[in-house]
Amino acid sequence: MKIDEKLIERKQHDLNGNNHVMTSADTPLREDAFVKSDEEKMANIEKLFGGIMEELGLDLTDDSLRGTPYRVAKMYVKEIFQGLNPKNKPSLSVFENKYQYNKMLVEKDITFSSACEHHFLPITGKAHVAYISSGMVIGLSKINRVVEYYGKRPQVQERMTLQIFNELKEALQTEDIIVVVEAEHLCVSTRGVNDKTSRTTTLEYGGRFNDIDLRNEFYSLI
């Protein structure tokens, strides 16, 4: 990209501000996203982040800072963005609903941490999930693991909500699911508007949860 084109693009980003567009319910990944090993990615990120620190004027020979590029690289690949790699996707075993429980099951206050894909700043919050069995049930911890998996990647909260819903819909073979995500975005609270108290809520639901009375019952439980 030519320099003048890059400047125009940057000016457009400034004009758009926080008016970002989510293009898909799928996380945007290149086809070659997992050709490199984790170790190769970490080595490259270590060099690149070290360059960022140097541009900021930090002294990488200081004992406190010397290991920071490696620590950041390891954190990105092995921890906070591990949900990008499908090999880390949780196995969702489901079981026959032999006890014939036919009311909603609610798993609430599932804590998660993610990162805003626009600024790479933390998103922290809770998810609340409910489903009504269509004949199959899932282990409670698996719901938590689905939330964690989709949180561990650069995210848009709307997309994360849809991803959790779609994953559970596929596993449980039912539309009778509702997902609510409540979160604080540090890209709002620590920069830009610097609003320290606002939180964002998103939801997705289907099937029997299209009934407002059933949704209200769910809301009363969370």
Side-chain angles (χ1 to χ4, degrees):
M1 185 178 291
K2 296 179 181 179
I3 294 178
D4 57 344
E5 292 177 342
K6 193 66 177 178
L7 289 173
I8 292 172
E9 182 179 311
R10 287 172 178 167
K11 287 181 180 179
Q12 189 62 50
H13 291 328
D14 287 338
L15 287 172
N16 287 339
N18 291 321
N19 297 321
H20 310 293
V21 177
M22 185 182 76
T23 56
S24 171
D26 296 322
T27 300
L29 288 167
R30 299 197 321 268
E31 291 184 1
D32 64 347
F34 306 107
V35 172
K36 295 177 183 176
S37 68
D38 285 354
E39 288 67 30
E40 289 176 300
K41 291 182 178 182
M42 287 167 56
N44 290 332
I45 293 171
E46 181 179 358
K47 293 175 185 177
L48 293 167
F49 197 81
I52 291 174
M53 294 177 67
E54 287 180 348
E55 289 298 324
L56 291 172
L58 296 169
D59 180 4
L60 289 177
T61 66
D62 183 87
D63 286 344
S64 179
L65 298 178
R66 186 179 294 117
T68 298
Y70 169 74
R71 287 190 290 265
V72 170
K74 181 180 179 182
M75 176 185 68
Y76 277 179
V77 175
K78 297 289 190 179
E79 298 174 2
I80 65 175
F81 296 143
Q82 64 174 294
L84 287 171
N85 195 329
K87 75 178 185 182
N88 296 321
K89 186 175 180 178
S91 175
L92 301 183
S93 301
V94 294
F95 309 93
E96 185 180 351
N97 183 10
K98 291 184 178 180
Y99 26 84
Q100 299 299 306
Y101 179 74
N102 59 8
K103 299 298 190 295
M104 78 171 81
L105 181 146
V106 181
E107 183 87 358
K108 68 177 184 178
D109 294 333
I110 304 169
T111 58
F112 72 89
S113 59
S114 189
C116 164
E117 70 179 36
H118 303 126
H119 297 95
F120 273 43
L121 287 172
I123 302 171
T124 58
K126 295 180 179 180
H128 315 286
V129 177
Y131 75 92
I132 300 171
S133 175
S134 64
M136 305 302 291
V137 295
I138 190 171
L140 296 181
S141 67
K142 299 300 185 182
I143 299 175
N144 298 62
R145 292 189 185 280
V146 168
V147 173
E148 179 184 41
Y149 174 67
Y150 285 109
K152 294 297 185 183
R153 56 179 67 185
Q155 269 294 12
V156 175
Q157 186 172 326
E158 298 95 319
R159 179 193 293 129
M160 178 178 169
T161 306
L162 289 169
Q163 288 174 333
I164 295 167
F165 177 87
N166 290 333
E167 188 68 34
L168 293 173
K169 180 175 72 171
E170 181 178 349
L172 290 162
Q173 293 298 296
T174 181
E175 294 269 353
D176 301 335
I177 297 168
I178 185 167
V179 177
V180 173
V181 177
E182 303 174 292
E184 177 185 355
H185 295 242
L186 265 70
C187 60
V188 174
S189 63
T190 64
R191 55 159 299 282
V193 72
N194 281 292
D195 187 321
K196 307 299 184 186
T197 59
S198 66
R199 294 175 65 82
T200 301
T201 300
T202 49
L203 73 157
E204 178 66 10
Y205 54 84
R208 291 166 64 181
F209 284 100
N210 283 298
D211 183 337
I212 191 169
D213 290 334
L214 189 61
R215 290 204 307 278
N216 285 335
E217 181 181 350
F218 167 75
Y219 298 145
S220 72
L221 292 171
I222 66 171

